[in-house]
Amino acid sequence: MNFEKYPFEKLNELLTDILPNDNYELSVLTIGEPKFETPHFIQEKLKETSSSLRKYPSTIGEPFLRESMINFVQNRFNVSLEMNQIVPTFGTREVLFNFPQFALFDKKNPVMAFTNPFYQIYEGAAIASRAEVIHIDLTKENHFKAILSDEELKRCDLVILNFPNNPTSASMSKEELGLWVKKALEFDFILVNDECYSEIYFDEENKPASLLEASIFVGNTDFKNVLVMNSISKRSSAPGLRSGFIAGDAKILKEYLQYRTYVGCASPVPLQEAAAVAWNDQEHVMEFRKIYKKNFEIAHELLGITIPESTFYIWLKVDDEIEFTKNLYKEKNIKVLPGSFLGRNGLGKGYVRIALVENEEKTRESLKRLKDFIDG
């Protein structure tokens, strides 16, 4: 299999011979990893339950974990799920990679579509599935929203959307997502939305919609052909817990669960215990949202950027993303990610992605350096 280098490996190669300005402390604004301590109540639960390491974890996950995830979906999206409509996963990266291989295995000439620019695991899954790829190009002209023609959709076996979007920060409404559900039913393809940024939002009256909500909105109440994936990593500042889920169409999930028994990605029971208390709690998530909102207010103040509806990324327009990245590192000791490393066919060119995942003090200092660099 011929996989592309990961964006961060490309970045390391790009910057390898550059000596950064050591008058500044290194500021890494590249990776979407929250830099905040995992809340203590989650850590304590992990410690308290460490004795259950003596148990083999089950593939389906403990009932208390699935119940906590179902509670999250109910409380956040007002969507009621049954136990057979949700499967815990080891974060979302592994399921985004292996689910397409499961879903496309029996297809003679599989076709997979996904948003572009993208989280590179989508492309890796397509390569591993020997699938033809149709890119759903997200551009300034289409407001970074997902659009494909009927002719393209007729050919698709699997479509992966990612809203709220990484890296563009775009969102799609329940009504817009509902149109995709209708197309999934009309042309009989599996539709997935990667929703791992759904909880990083800044307006309680305008929260990001789930594809599950959209499915119910258009009358597809049993979620036929519709699945969502979500993760605890961003919402709880706990990427090390590796707790995610895939939820929706029970018929697909029943077959996928059997497949998972061979994958060997069951989460250790103490991690399930800690994840369950995190999924069940909303207050700590609200506190993290306040931090991210403040970071964007700083970015608006210093850089004039429009505060997005959700995610913690700035998709910053620049003249030449490669030269910008190199010179910013050299002059200000700041690392950002060239947008072209995240896209194909020219998508992402002329942009850099900036992750606002530090505290207020570090964010202000880094963005002030960035502003000084931009102002020349």
Side-chain angles (χ1 to χ4, degrees):
M1 285 181 269
N2 185 23
F3 293 112
E4 279 272 348
K5 292 179 180 177
Y6 234 61
F8 306 111
E9 184 180 354
K10 291 181 180 180
L11 179 66
N12 288 338
E13 291 178 354
L14 178 70
L15 302 180
T16 189
D17 294 325
I18 297 175
L19 186 65
N21 187 342
D22 61 8
N23 289 321
Y24 300 105
E25 182 181 350
L26 174 63
S27 178
V28 180
L29 307 178
T30 56
I31 189 167
E33 179 183 68
K35 301 301 181 183
F36 312 109
E37 186 174 7
T38 301
H40 283 287
F41 77 96
I42 300 174
Q43 296 186 46
E44 288 304 313
K45 191 65 175 180
L46 180 62
K47 295 173 186 176
E48 291 169 8
T49 58
S50 62
S51 63
S52 58
L53 284 170
R54 69 184 187 276
K55 301 178 183 178
Y56 276 117
S58 64
T59 300
I60 187 57
E62 298 296 325
F64 64 77
L65 177 62
R66 283 180 286 155
E67 288 169 1
S68 72
M69 293 170 169
I70 288 172
N71 289 341
F72 161 73
V73 174
Q74 176 68 59
N75 293 332
R76 172 63 176 82
F77 301 110
N78 196 29
V79 171
S80 298
L81 294 175
E82 302 296 331
M83 281 288 205
N84 65 348
Q85 292 176 315
I86 195 163
V87 174
T89 61
F90 206 59
T92 52
R93 182 170 175 170
E94 61 95 346
V95 63
L96 283 164
F97 185 67
N98 66 48
F99 179 80
Q101 296 175 65
F102 155 79
L104 300 175
F105 180 79
D106 291 326
K107 303 295 182 182
K108 186 175 181 181
N109 296 297
V111 177
M112 178 176 166
F114 51 82
T115 45
N116 177 36
F118 51 84
Y119 177 35
Q120 195 157 321
I121 208 70
Y122 307 160
E123 183 180 75
I127 292 169
S129 304
R130 296 185 175 88
E132 177 187 345
V133 171
I134 297 175
H135 290 115
I136 306 171
D137 292 342
L138 309 180
T139 66
K140 183 179 179 182
E141 290 70 29
N142 63 27
H143 306 288
F144 305 108
K145 298 195 177 188
I147 301 170
L148 274 188
S149 68
D150 282 1
E151 288 70 25
E152 291 170 309
L153 289 172
K154 287 175 184 176
R155 301 182 55 230
C156 290
D157 299 298
L158 172 65
V159 173
I160 299 180
L161 304 179
N162 170 218
F163 292 94
N165 185 251
N166 165 24
T168 71
S169 293
S171 293
M172 289 182 70
S173 68
K174 178 172 65 177
E175 292 77 11
E176 290 169 324
L177 290 170
L179 296 176
W180 275 90
V181 175
K182 289 182 177 180
K183 293 298 183 182
L185 296 174
E186 180 181 356
F187 300 124
D188 195 27
F189 59 81
I190 297 174
L191 176 64
V192 174
N193 194 26
D194 174 5
E195 299 181 356
C196 70
Y197 292 94
S198 70
E199 304 314 288
I200 311 300
Y201 61 83
F202 314 114
D203 182 358
E204 284 292 330
E205 300 302 317
N206 192 29
K207 295 182 282 193
S210 171
L211 188 65
L212 296 178
E213 291 179 275
S215 186
I216 293 172
F217 179 71
V218 298
N220 185 25
T221 56
D222 60 355
F223 310 117
K224 177 177 171 54
N225 289 3
V226 168
L227 296 161
V228 302
M229 300 176 188
N230 212 321
S231 166
I232 214 167
S233 299
K234 319 298 181 184
R235 74 181 288 276
S236 298
S237 191
L241 274 182
R242 308 311 303 140
S243 180
F245 64 75
I246 180 171
D249 188 321
K251 182 177 183 296
I252 295 174
L253 291 179
K254 180 180 179 181
E255 297 171 359
Y256 177 59
L257 181 59
Q258 185 174 14
Y259 165 86
R260 285 186 67 82
T261 61
Y262 291 88
V263 174
C265 285
S267 176
V269 177
L271 270 65
Q272 294 188 51
E273 294 271 12
V277 298
W279 283 112
N280 274 324
D281 184 80
Q282 303 302 319
E283 291 186 12
H284 74 287
V285 188
M286 294 171 62
E287 294 305 310
F288 286 133
R289 277 199 288 268
K290 290 177 184 177
I291 296 172
Y292 292 126
K293 183 175 183 179
K294 182 61 181 179
N295 285 350
F296 271 108
E297 289 171 349
I298 294 169
H300 175 71
E301 171 194 339
L302 295 178
L303 302 176
I305 65 102
T306 300
I307 298 176
E309 292 180 12
S310 53
T311 85
F312 45 52
Y313 295 116
I314 298 174
W315 191 232
L316 185 67
K317 189 78 176 73
V318 298
D319 289 332
D320 183 322
E321 77 283 2
I322 300 297
E323 290 304 311
F324 184 96
T325 298
K326 290 163 62 177
N327 290 329
L328 178 62
Y329 180 56
K330 180 180 180 180
E331 296 179 25
K332 299 294 183 180
N333 206 2
I334 297 174
K335 288 185 178 182
V336 295
L337 195 63
S340 56
F341 289 3
L342 298 166
R344 300 292 180 265
N345 306 324
L347 270 291
K349 185 177 175 61
Y351 289 88
V352 293
R353 191 187 77 175
I354 300 169
L356 300 184
V357 292
E358 293 280 8
N359 62 34
E360 178 182 343
E361 180 182 0
K362 288 185 178 180
T363 297
R364 180 175 289 278
E365 195 278 330
S366 295
L367 294 187
K368 189 176 184 306
R369 262 191 271 164
L370 177 60
K371 175 178 169 53
D372 291 343
F373 173 77
I374 293 172
D375 290 346

